[in-house]
Amino acid sequence: MRQKLKGIYTKFKFRWEYFLVILLIVEVIIFGNLNPRFLKPQVLFGSVNDFISICIIAIFTCFVFITGGIDLQAGSIVGLTSIVIGVMWKSAGVNIIAACLIALIVGGLCGALSGFFIGFTGVQPMVVTLGGSFLYSGLAIAVSNISKTAAYLGISGFPQYFTSFTKKRFFGVIPSQFLIFIALSAIAYIILHSTKYGRKVFLCGINQNAAGFTGINSKLIIMSTYIFSGMAAAIAGIIMTSYLGSSKSDFGSDLTMPIITAVVLGGTSTLGGKGGVIGSALAAVVIGIMRFGLSMNGMPNQYLDIPVGIMLVLVVAGSCISKNQKISTVLRHYVSIKN
């Protein structure tokens, strides 16, 4: 029996996703004990509506991080696409479905613009996407001025069929946004982990020059990851506009740090070449549940970014420490002495 257990142990390979699942269970248990209402299925699944944008964007932003980049503009693209939907529908008289498709194209173009400068000119991703966040926020305000409605009020009055699809609950419990997130996660997983394109993304992150020597157009691959991220932000903007029944230019302004934290916490390396969709998806849910649980137990909304920031620092610090050979040697030596 002992040999059998030892054999199982040696074959078992720890994955970071297992830790995230455990962390998610611990969160549910702790917050459920603090507030029993938290454990009600309608409340727990309903919390998805508060952080679904983080989840959707994170699963595609991890593409960017795997190539060694970073995306600080996704939140601004959410606001831009949201206000584009409102203005196109209310001021230009475009059908709401067509307006959503236009918003999706706008999100892709925003990602393509930043991706072009990063992939083809070699400008640092942080500089480009930080500039992009200011640019797209400014464009969102400029677009909102086209509408006759004041910017701070937003645009409302959308057709019922547009606002109702995000309020549906399957079996009376599971919101439609959660199923959209699952479907997009499956699509992202197939693209990244089961296609030649996905292998090229990883190769570009491991060594861009070497990828180029193998015939991979690394510049175009890098650009494409920002297009995916921009389109994911546009989808989040569409869902947010539908659920809230309002279109505003400042939607997504507070999403940047949670998105980055979700990707990094999901096991994606900030140096590129390592990461995954499942880890990013689980980490986004972990962060969302943590924010919702803290809010339900009395923490003011303006302080919810504090634990997210602490988590980001700890994860990055832990990752750097684990890769430091001197520290690893000292820890191994200490463990061997203990044994």
Side-chain angles (χ1 to χ4, degrees):
M1 183 66 181
R2 185 176 180 182
Q3 290 295 329
K4 188 177 181 181
L5 290 173
K6 186 176 180 181
I8 294 172
Y9 176 77
T10 53
K11 291 180 181 179
F12 177 78
K13 184 179 180 182
F14 176 79
R15 293 176 61 90
W16 182 251
E17 289 84 355
Y18 300 156
F19 169 75
L20 293 174
V21 172
I22 294 170
L23 183 58
L24 182 60
I25 294 171
V26 170
E27 282 185 342
V28 173
I29 293 172
I30 291 174
F31 292 130
N33 285 329
L34 292 174
N35 189 341
R37 186 170 173 269
F38 180 84
L39 294 176
K40 291 183 177 180
Q42 293 85 350
V43 175
L44 189 57
F45 277 99
S47 67
V48 173
N49 297 320
D50 296 334
F51 57 84
I52 193 66
S53 297
I54 299 172
C55 298
I56 290 173
I57 299 172
I59 58 178
F60 286 99
T61 301
C62 77
F63 289 31
V64 171
F65 278 72
I66 290 171
T67 63
I70 189 171
D71 193 348
L72 303 175
Q73 64 190 19
S76 299
I77 295 176
V78 172
L80 175 59
T81 53
S82 175
I83 199 66
V84 163
I85 293 170
V87 170
M88 293 301 295
W89 173 75
K90 191 164 188 176
S91 299
V94 177
N95 179 273
I96 192 66
I97 304 299
C100 290
L101 292 175
I102 292 171
L104 191 63
I105 294 171
V106 168
L109 289 175
C110 290
L113 178 62
S114 299
F116 172 80
F117 284 109
I118 294 166
F120 287 88
T121 67
V123 183
Q124 287 293 323
M126 181 174 289
V127 175
V128 174
T129 56
L130 180 61
S133 68
F134 289 115
L135 171 62
Y136 302 137
S137 294
L139 285 176
I141 295 173
V143 171
S144 67
N145 291 333
I146 299 174
S147 173
K148 297 178 181 179
T149 307
Y152 70 92
L153 292 175
I155 299 172
S156 57
F158 293 106
Q160 186 177 0
Y161 66 88
F162 174 65
T163 57
S164 62
F165 89 93
T166 50
K167 293 181 174 61
K168 290 182 180 178
R169 291 201 175 201
F170 293 87
F171 309 108
V173 176
I174 304 174
S176 58
Q177 292 96 310
F178 183 74
L179 297 181
I180 293 172
F181 165 56
I182 296 298
L184 290 174
S185 297
I187 293 170
Y189 181 87
I190 293 170
I191 293 173
L192 185 61
H193 299 285
S194 302
T195 64
K196 290 182 179 179
Y197 169 81
R199 289 191 288 273
K200 291 177 182 179
V201 170
F202 280 101
L203 286 172
C204 288
I206 294 170
N207 191 319
Q208 185 177 343
N209 293 326
F213 287 130
T214 61
I216 296 173
N217 190 338
S218 56
K219 296 178 180 179
L220 189 61
I221 293 294
I222 290 172
M223 178 179 171
S224 68
T225 60
Y226 287 89
I227 295 175
F228 274 121
S229 182
M231 293 180 73
I235 293 172
I238 293 168
I239 291 175
M240 189 178 293
T241 302
S242 170
Y243 180 72
L244 298 176
S246 177
S247 172
K248 294 183 70 175
S249 59
D250 61 349
F251 281 169
S253 59
D254 58 346
L255 295 180
T256 301
M257 190 168 72
I259 292 168
I260 293 174
T261 306
V263 176
V264 176
L265 180 61
T268 302
S269 173
T270 54
L271 301 176
K274 179 184 176 184
V277 170
I278 295 177
S280 298
L282 287 171
V285 175
V286 166
I287 292 172
I289 292 294
M290 181 182 66
R291 288 168 62 94
F292 180 72
L294 291 172
S295 177
M296 275 198 70
N297 286 282
M299 177 175 281
N301 290 335
Q302 60 265 33
Y303 298 135
L304 292 179
D305 283 338
I306 294 176
V308 176
I310 293 172
M311 186 179 290
L312 177 60
V313 172
L314 290 176
V315 171
V316 174
S319 177
C320 293
I321 290 172
S322 66
K323 293 174 184 176
N324 190 301
Q325 293 183 352
K326 292 183 179 179
I327 296 175
S328 298
T329 302
V330 171
L331 289 175
R332 283 197 296 268
H333 180 66
Y334 178 75
V335 172
S336 64
I337 291 174
K338 285 286 186 181
N339 294 334

